[in-house]
Amino acid sequence: MEIDLYDKNGEPVAYIADDAEQSIYMWDGHAVCYIYEDKIYGWKGQHIGWYVDEIIYDLNGERVGFTKRTCPTYTSIPPIKYIKYIKYIKYIRCIPYMRPFLKTTISSMPLSDFLQQDAIV
């Protein structure tokens, strides 16, 4: 089952695909990052954050994305998903950062920028 991801304003931004890699796709059909264990990696292999208890955290431990269940506000209805583009070959994963104390503060970085920061476009 695919999981929709929302920003701090409750707007749908991306979704986690129901595949072996737990790829994260933008609504336009491009895979931009993926989840490995509880870590989020960009397609170029950089560790960019964590996915813990249905919340996306940045490297500072601030919340940057949410599922419908964990979003701090009402969520908008997600748009229709585009057909998924063929994924690029992933780069080798870099060594992950140590997980910081996870905070309740919300990051100022938009979720779309966060997810695409290490994407192949």
Side-chain angles (χ1 to χ4, degrees):
M1 184 169 141
E2 295 180 335
I3 300 169
D4 297 334
L5 298 173
Y6 299 85
D7 65 12
K8 63 185 174 187
N9 300 315
E11 295 298 319
V13 173
Y15 62 94
I16 302 170
D18 188 15
D19 62 15
E21 299 172 312
Q22 287 193 292
S23 304
I24 298 178
Y25 283 84
M26 302 303 287
W27 289 110
D28 66 3
H30 287 96
V32 292
C33 53
Y34 63 96
I35 300 169
Y36 177 76
E37 296 174 346
D38 65 343
K39 298 163 197 68
I40 301 173
Y41 286 91
W43 224 252
K44 295 181 187 174
Q46 292 296 315
H47 177 216
I48 60 171
W50 287 269
Y51 181 67
V52 178
D53 296 330
E54 298 186 20
I55 298 174
I56 294 176
Y57 294 90
D58 64 15
L59 294 176
N60 297 318
E62 294 183 314
R63 301 181 307 162
V64 69
F66 310 88
T67 63
K68 185 176 182 88
R69 189 178 69 80
T70 61
C71 194
T73 187
Y74 291 107
T75 56
S76 298
I77 297 171
I80 295 172
K81 296 176 177 115
Y82 283 76
I83 295 172
K84 295 174 187 158
Y85 287 94
I86 295 173
K87 293 186 269 187
Y88 291 99
I89 295 173
K90 293 185 296 189
Y91 289 41
I92 295 173
R93 285 189 303 274
C94 294
I95 296 172
Y97 294 96
M98 285 186 54
R99 188 162 108 181
F101 176 73
L102 301 177
K103 305 170 187 169
T104 58
T105 55
I106 296 176
S107 174
S108 61
M109 178 182 271
L111 178 58
S112 59
D113 291 349
F114 171 81
L115 295 173
Q116 296 181 76
Q117 64 185 311
D118 193 49
I120 298 173
V121 184

